[in-house]
């Protein structure tokens, strides 16, 4: 590695990292938080077998899981303006990532809800709780403990998926890298550099996942 390339990597590091901290991480955190709200709502609707709402939920999951995330970004950002609906890049990315991840997480949480023994629901009714109290105090806490590992994996996956937001002009760290590459003509070194930054972000989340799992296991053991 020559001196020019070394200096380039050192100089570009902060130029890539700062968009990662100010765009990639906030985009991931906001989108995943909204996705969890969507997922829990959709999962409970399916778990409760509400006829019309369950069909709508299944249709939503079918559409989202059956189409590529990049296509969904393009439809919302480039397609909706034809209908007079214009959304800025960052809010558009949040909307699409939230809806996309919400569908996948909904299936994770639904499976976790169905894994809770049915006797738990009956026991809740026996002590005088209504349906919503049983769900909030008994069923959901147990289900979320089961769903925690796959949901954590989904969060890690979303960190990497945010790179697709560069296609709709969100100035996150992958777009920052593309701009530097266009100016310096050093794609190999710079794309490896941004890959390593993504790896660091995901490694931190993996460590936090393990800590969270230990705490949940401790609560279950207690």
């Amino acid at each position: 590695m020559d001196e020019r390339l070394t200096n380039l990597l050192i100089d570009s590091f902060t130029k890539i990292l700062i968009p990662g901290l100010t765009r990639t991480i906030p985009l991931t955190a906001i989108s995943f938080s909204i996705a969890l709200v969507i997922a829990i709502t959709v999962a409970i609707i399916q778990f409760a077998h509400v006829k019309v709402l369950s069909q709508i939920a299944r249709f939503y999951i079918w559409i989202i899981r059956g189409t590529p995330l990049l296509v969904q970004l393009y439809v919302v950002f480039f397609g909706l303006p034809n209908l007079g609906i214009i959304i800025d890049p960052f809010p558009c990315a949040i909307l699409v990532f939230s809806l996309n991840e919400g569908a996948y997480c909904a299936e994770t949480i639904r499976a976790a809800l169905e894994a809770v023994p049915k006797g738990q629901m009956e026991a809740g009714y026996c002590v005088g709780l209504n349906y919503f109290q049983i769900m909030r105090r008994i069923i959901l806490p147990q289900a979320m403990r089961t769903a925690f590992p796959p949901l954590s994996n989904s969060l890690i996956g979303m960190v990497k998926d945010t790179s697709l937001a560069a296609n709709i002009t969100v100035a996150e760290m992958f777009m920052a890298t593309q701009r530097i590459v266009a100016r310096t003509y050093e794609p190999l070194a710079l794309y490896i550099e941004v890959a390593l930054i993504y790896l660091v972000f995901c490694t931190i989340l993996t460590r936090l996942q393990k800590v969270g799992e230990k705490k949940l296991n401790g609560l279950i053991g207690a």
Side-chain angles (χ1 to χ4, degrees):
M1 185 181 294
D2 58 29
E3 184 178 352
R4 173 187 171 276
L5 188 55
T6 302
N7 291 334
L8 172 61
L9 292 175
I10 294 172
D11 180 64
S12 63
F13 179 77
T14 54
K15 295 178 180 178
I16 296 172
L17 180 62
I18 290 174
L21 297 174
T22 59
R23 286 289 186 274
T24 299
I25 297 301
L27 175 58
T28 303
I30 296 170
S31 299
F32 195 76
S33 298
I34 297 172
L36 279 182
V37 175
I38 295 171
I40 292 172
T41 302
V42 172
I44 290 175
I45 287 172
Q46 293 184 90
F47 182 72
H49 301 293
V50 182
K51 283 189 178 181
V52 177
L53 293 179
S54 291
Q55 292 174 350
I56 294 173
R58 292 308 307 170
F59 180 78
Y60 155 67
I61 292 171
W62 173 63
I63 291 292
I64 294 298
R65 295 203 305 171
T67 55
L69 175 56
L70 184 59
V71 174
Q72 295 166 16
L73 283 167
Y74 274 42
V75 167
V76 175
F77 187 72
F78 296 112
L80 291 186
N82 290 336
L83 302 177
I85 303 172
I86 300 175
I87 307 176
D88 290 336
F90 193 77
C92 176
I94 289 175
L95 173 64
V96 174
F97 284 129
S98 299
L99 290 173
N100 182 274
E101 198 63 41
Y104 288 94
C105 291
E107 288 296 272
T108 299
I109 295 173
R110 179 189 60 80
L113 287 171
E114 293 179 352
V116 177
K118 293 183 179 179
Q120 297 288 323
M121 182 73 73
E122 296 171 0
Y125 284 125
C126 288
V127 298
L129 300 177
N130 60 40
Y131 179 82
F132 294 104
Q133 290 174 325
I134 294 171
M135 289 298 297
R136 182 169 60 87
R137 298 181 182 180
I138 300 175
I139 305 299
L140 267 177
Q142 295 182 66
M144 293 307 291
R145 288 170 186 166
T146 303
F148 183 81
L151 289 177
S152 299
N153 290 335
S154 296
L155 175 60
I156 293 169
M158 179 179 275
V159 172
K160 295 173 288 184
D161 288 342
T162 55
S163 60
L164 294 174
N167 290 278
I168 60 169
T169 71
V170 175
E172 43 73 65
M173 66 179 181
F174 185 67
M175 173 170 271
T177 307
Q178 288 179 311
R179 289 173 174 172
I180 299 172
V181 169
R183 187 176 68 252
T184 61
Y185 300 100
E186 290 288 352
L188 179 60
L190 289 166
Y191 286 139
I192 289 176
E193 183 174 40
V194 73
L196 291 174
I197 295 175
Y198 276 112
L199 181 61
V200 169
F201 286 171
C202 293
T203 300
I204 293 171
L205 288 175
T206 300
R207 298 287 185 183
L208 292 175
Q209 175 186 354
K210 290 180 180 179
V211 171
E213 288 179 3
K214 287 181 180 179
K215 288 186 176 181
L216 286 175
N217 290 335
L219 289 173
I220 293 172

